[in-house]
Amino acid sequence: MSTRRTTLPGVGTQYDFTTDSGQHISVVAHKDGRRFLGFYDRDDPDACLLSVPLTPDEATALSHLIDVEPADAARTDGVDLVTGHIPVTGRSPYAGRPLGDTRARTRTGASVVAVLRRTAVSPSPGPDFRLSVGDTLVAVGTREGVDALTGIIAGG
């Protein structure tokens, strides 16, 4: 499989790859988190047969579905631990606020071990780390704790 990355000024980045079977697929990653999947004609690499727009939440969900090695539960001393990826959307009451305002560990027992941002990864973010729309929190805890934190971040 070959992959090509192209910067699209003012838009984001386009990733093109060709599968071993010869199918050309393109992903356009917009700066605002939106994604577009493009499927191209094998005989005409400029002819897009289908374009599928995805919201940031849809792109995250799809990436989890096609991940060949998903983060499954790990068993530790009789406690099932899971890793969750929690998107910070424009509807989150914590967008623009410090991570400490969530009181995640106190309220749910789950820990935020990293924040994925389009431009960087922040491992072990402290309570002063300011969350932004488009961030993805990587949380570890029980299934119940991670699910509760997902609800808190979503504003539920």
Side-chain angles (χ1 to χ4, degrees), residues 86 94 99-112 137 139 145-146 148-150 152-153:
I86 305 169
Y94 296 100
L99 178 61
D101 286 1
T102 67
R103 298 181 50 240
R105 195 173 15 238
T106 302
R107 294 169 70 185
T108 69
S111 296
V112 176
L137 308 182
V146 171
L149 181 54
T150 300
I152 288 168
I153 297 300

Side-chain angles (χ1 to χ4, degrees), residues 21-150:
S21 66
Q23 179 66 55
H24 173 196
I25 302 171
S26 176
V27 176
V28 176
H30 287 256
K31 290 181 179 181
D32 65 4
R34 292 176 300 134
R35 301 288 189 265
F36 284 84
L37 295 177
F39 300 90
Y40 291 82
D41 187 322
R42 288 179 199 225
D43 298 324
D44 183 358
D46 294 324
C48 185
L49 301 173
L50 175 66
S51 177
V52 180
L54 299 171
T55 66
D57 291 342
E58 292 167 339
T60 298
L62 180 61
S63 71
H64 291 300
L65 291 173
I66 62 175
D67 186 357
V68 295
E69 294 184 28
D72 290 325
R75 191 158 189 86
T76 307
D77 296 330
V79 176
D80 288 330
L81 294 178
V82 297
T83 301
H85 289 78
I86 305 169
V88 178
T89 67
R91 289 176 267 159
S92 174
Y94 296 100
R97 293 174 56 190
L99 178 61
D101 286 1
T102 67
R103 298 181 50 240
R105 195 173 15 238
T106 302
R107 294 169 70 185
T108 69
S111 296
V112 176
V113 297
V115 176
L116 309 177
R117 191 166 275 170
R118 283 180 224 106
T119 56
V121 175
S122 297
S124 302
D128 295 333
F129 184 91
R130 196 163 291 280
L131 300 175
S132 295
V133 171
D135 285 352
T136 299
L137 308 182
V138 179
V140 174
T142 63
R143 167 56 51 209
E144 295 79 16
V146 171
D147 288 348
L149 181 54
T150 300

